[in-house]
Amino acid sequence: MKDGDFNKIRRHVYGRSTANKKEQLPTPGSKLDIILQKIYSHYQNNPFGFEYLAKDVTRLLIEDSGTICHDGWVTKASGDGGYDYVLRIDIGNHGLSQVRQVVLGQAKCYERNNGVSGKDVDRIIARLKRGWLAAFVTTSYFTNATQQEILEDNYPILLITGKQVAEIVNKELYRKNISLDKYLKSLNMEQEYKNPEDILKEE
């Protein structure tokens, strides 16, 4: 108070809360943990393949909230420009009463003790244009420093943790009544070389 620097004593209150590592990962030995470990083992030597699962997980999460999600594509393996896949959120009806928003996605198939850092997230944030959203999917967790940075700067990004990946996949396996291996093999493995804006024109 004497110095006149209120930032030293100001309490920062965020609209969203942070989560610790334990909250972002399934309980060791649980069904969800087994699913997550199988996913990690399946993709640990094929991180590019994990991008297809990350895209589907993001789509399912968005649709589960009641929002229409237009399926997009996974970008080329090299020179992807800082993002791994593209989706689109549709709000409202067709025509003038509809708003379409681009969703850029990033995917990291990390071992559960290897947390996602701010440097990992910065790449996808740097690619966002006005009105766009981002999604970051990982098999691990987001460090507290990373979460704090996102909350302080109010970045429009969905953080999808290892626990959420396992939960969403488990729900999809139940809905489709298929095994994990069959589900992973069913994912569309096609690539696209379009600009993100192109998804706004698709019907």
Side-chain angles (χ1 to χ4, degrees), residues 131-162:
W132 290 12
L133 306 175
F136 199 117
V137 181
T138 182
T139 48
S140 63
Y141 67 99
F142 298 91
T143 66
N144 187 67
T146 301
Q147 296 176 67
Q148 293 284 357
E149 177 185 345
I150 291 170
L151 292 173
E152 288 176 1
D153 293 325
N154 201 28
Y155 290 137
I157 180 170
L158 294 169
L159 300 181
I160 304 176
T161 66

Side-chain angles (χ1 to χ4, degrees), residues 2-18:
K2 291 179 180 180
D3 296 337
D5 187 356
F6 292 103
N7 286 320
K8 291 181 179 179
I9 60 173
R10 177 177 288 132
R11 180 185 178 191
H12 295 278
V13 179
Y14 309 114
R16 295 180 290 174
S17 60
T18 60

Side-chain angles (χ1 to χ4, degrees), residues 25-44 109-113 139-140 162-163 165-166 180-181 184:
L25 293 169
T27 303
S30 64
K31 179 181 179 181
L32 293 180
D33 185 52
I34 292 172
I35 290 175
L36 185 62
Q37 291 307 310
K38 285 183 177 180
I39 290 173
Y40 174 73
S41 297
H42 185 86
Y43 291 116
Q44 67 177 115
C109 185
Y110 283 170
E111 192 273 329
R112 65 180 289 146
N113 290 319
T139 48
S140 63
K163 183 178 181 179
V165 169
L180 177 60
D181 288 339
L184 297 180

Side-chain angles (χ1 to χ4, degrees), residues 60-160:
L60 291 169
L61 177 69
I62 293 172
E63 290 180 343
D64 191 51
S65 70
T67 304
I68 298 173
C69 185
H70 180 85
D71 200 10
W73 59 84
V74 168
T75 61
K76 56 185 178 179
S78 60
D80 59 18
Y83 58 95
D84 298 322
Y85 59 92
V86 180
L87 293 166
R88 189 185 80 209
I89 291 177
D90 294 348
I91 303 173
N93 299 319
H94 291 287
L96 297 177
S97 60
Q98 184 185 73
V99 174
R100 296 178 172 184
Q101 293 180 306
V102 174
V103 179
L104 296 185
Q106 186 78 17
K108 292 295 181 185
C109 185
Y110 283 170
E111 192 273 329
R112 65 180 289 146
N113 290 319
N114 183 12
V116 176
S117 68
K119 185 178 180 181
D120 292 324
V121 176
D122 286 344
R123 291 190 68 212
I124 188 69
I125 293 297
R127 296 295 299 167
L128 293 180
K129 294 184 180 181
R130 184 176 181 180
W132 290 12
L133 306 175
F136 199 117
V137 181
T138 182
T139 48
S140 63
Y141 67 99
F142 298 91
T143 66
N144 187 67
T146 301
Q147 296 176 67
Q148 293 284 357
E149 177 185 345
I150 291 170
L151 292 173
E152 288 176 1
D153 293 325
N154 201 28
Y155 290 137
I157 180 170
L158 294 169
L159 300 181
I160 304 176

